[in-house]
Amino acid sequence: MFDLTRLRLLRELAHRGTMTAVGAAFGLTSSAVSQQFAALEREARVALLERVGRRVRLTAEGARLVAHAEAILEAVEAAELDLKAAGETPRGVLEIACFPTFAKARLLPAVIRGRKRFPELQAIVHELESADAIEAVRDGRCHLAVSFSYSLVPRPDIAGLVSHPLMDEPVLLALPKQWRRERTPISLKRLAQEDWIVGSRQSDDRQLAERACATAGFAPRITHRVDDYDLVLRMVAAGLGVGFVPELALSFSRTKDVVIRTAGGPPLRRRVHALTRSTLAASPMVRALLSELIAAA
């Protein structure tokens, strides 16, 4: 009989590629991961891994077991949820990964409302950027991920995850006060000599600026890398640069010395989705929180 934890580790090795990465995801040392794989090979009675230089890769049998592991782990998760769903009352601990702007504006109010409606449901929030949030759901550390993508930087569909659209908002230009007399939209060509502010923890913000400016015929001079939109707007107000901000970010911070305008060219949008594993889609816990998020949107 196969140990479920070891099957999860093998699945993650197929996805992440190295024992070091698997260990980091599960809080284990590379040595501990290696020992778990050795035990799994004894259970399987075949070689699952082979060394290629200083790294390891799956054997043909290892790849076949990964495919079985996906089905096994989904079946176990579905069985657990089926038992918990008795009576259809949302109860238990729901782990949610979400980026900060949406967490402040929409997730926190939804959690508060859900807690009043369903006292037995405990929501735990993890602040993670989109790529990390999706990883947390995919590898089982969280039940629900709230992620976003830009119209110019789309994300591919992810096998095994179900997506629920939550909101679609414009992405706007934040400019210093000397632009106050300018009408909207503003051609990006006029910002070719400006310093640009983009995010630091993920590549999407940088790619958005690069692709939007490329449509105007230039590469942006990216000078500052900042994730907090309040800080971005304060830096713009101080004349340190220009940048893109989603409309939702303006709900919390807006200084009188910042000018907000739409950009010329293709419309820039940010789309927010909630993602969960297909086996969790019917969970009363997930459905309860999704209903609050969708109602808020």
Side-chain angles (χ1 to χ4, degrees):
M1 183 177 294
F2 294 116
D3 180 270
L4 294 179
T5 298
R6 292 168 187 151
L7 289 179
R8 288 191 179 93
L9 292 173
L10 188 69
R11 180 181 65 179
E12 288 308 304
L13 180 65
H15 176 67
R16 299 178 185 274
T18 68
M19 290 192 184
T20 301
V22 173
F26 285 81
L28 300 172
T29 64
S30 296
S31 176
V33 173
S34 179
Q35 291 172 19
Q36 291 295 317
F37 285 146
L40 184 60
E41 286 187 322
R42 290 194 294 271
E43 292 172 350
R45 298 182 181 180
V46 294
L48 302 175
L49 306 174
E50 60 183 357
R51 288 210 164 270
V52 180
R54 299 179 64 181
R55 303 182 66 176
V56 297
R57 70 182 178 190
L58 295 170
T59 63
E61 291 77 11
R64 288 166 59 190
L65 184 55
V66 167
H68 287 298
E70 292 282 2
I72 291 167
L73 294 171
E74 285 189 4
V76 170
E77 187 172 55
E80 292 175 344
L81 290 172
D82 183 57
L83 294 176
K84 290 179 181 178
E88 292 296 305
T89 299
R91 59 168 60 91
V93 177
L94 180 67
E95 306 262 359
I96 310 155
C98 183
F99 60 96
T101 32
F102 190 90
K104 288 189 287 185
R106 300 289 178 84
L107 178 59
L108 181 57
V111 167
I112 293 171
R113 291 193 305 271
R115 187 169 56 183
K116 291 179 180 178
R117 290 183 60 195
F118 309 111
E120 295 180 84
L121 176 61
Q122 179 186 3
I124 296 178
V125 178
H126 302 267
E127 182 187 325
L128 294 173
E129 292 297 335
S130 293
D132 294 330
I134 292 170
E135 280 296 305
V137 167
R138 204 200 62 78
D139 65 24
R141 287 177 287 128
C142 289
H143 302 98
L144 193 70
V146 179
S147 73
F148 69 83
S149 62
Y150 294 117
S151 52
L152 289 182
V153 193
R155 292 183 186 277
D157 293 335
I158 302 172
L161 296 188
V162 179
S163 177
H164 302 268
L166 297 179
M167 68 177 296
D168 186 320
E169 62 177 334
V171 176
L172 305 166
L173 271 173
L175 306 162
K177 60 183 178 181
Q178 57 263 34
W179 291 82
R180 184 165 288 123
R181 294 180 181 274
E182 300 291 335
R183 294 183 177 181
T184 193
I186 290 178
S187 171
L188 289 176
K189 288 182 179 180
R190 300 177 62 190
L191 304 176
Q193 301 305 314
E194 300 287 340
D195 290 333
W196 282 78
I197 307 169
V198 301
S200 65
R201 285 186 289 178
Q202 58 177 3
S203 62
D204 300 60
D205 293 336
R206 175 181 53 78
Q207 290 181 36
L208 173 67
E210 290 175 341
R211 293 179 184 182
C213 293
T215 64
F218 73 96
R221 185 172 63 218
I222 295 173
T223 306
H224 308 286
R225 289 172 172 79
V226 175
D227 287 306
D228 181 79
Y229 284 118
D230 179 68
L231 180 55
V232 170
L233 293 171
R234 290 173 183 269
M235 291 175 69
V236 171
L240 297 179
V242 301
F244 290 117
V245 293
E247 187 176 61
L248 195 63
L250 303 177
S251 304
F252 305 100
S253 178
R254 178 86 180 265
T255 73
K256 63 180 181 180
D257 293 327
V258 176
V259 176
I260 302 298
R261 296 288 186 268
T262 57
L268 301 179
R269 311 287 299 179
R270 184 172 81 161
R271 301 180 178 99
V272 181
H273 290 77
L275 297 101
T276 187
R277 296 188 297 281
S278 55
T279 51
L280 288 170
S283 161
M285 293 193 303
V286 170
R287 291 207 313 263
L289 186 65
L290 280 176
S291 68
E292 295 295 339
L293 288 173
I294 292 170

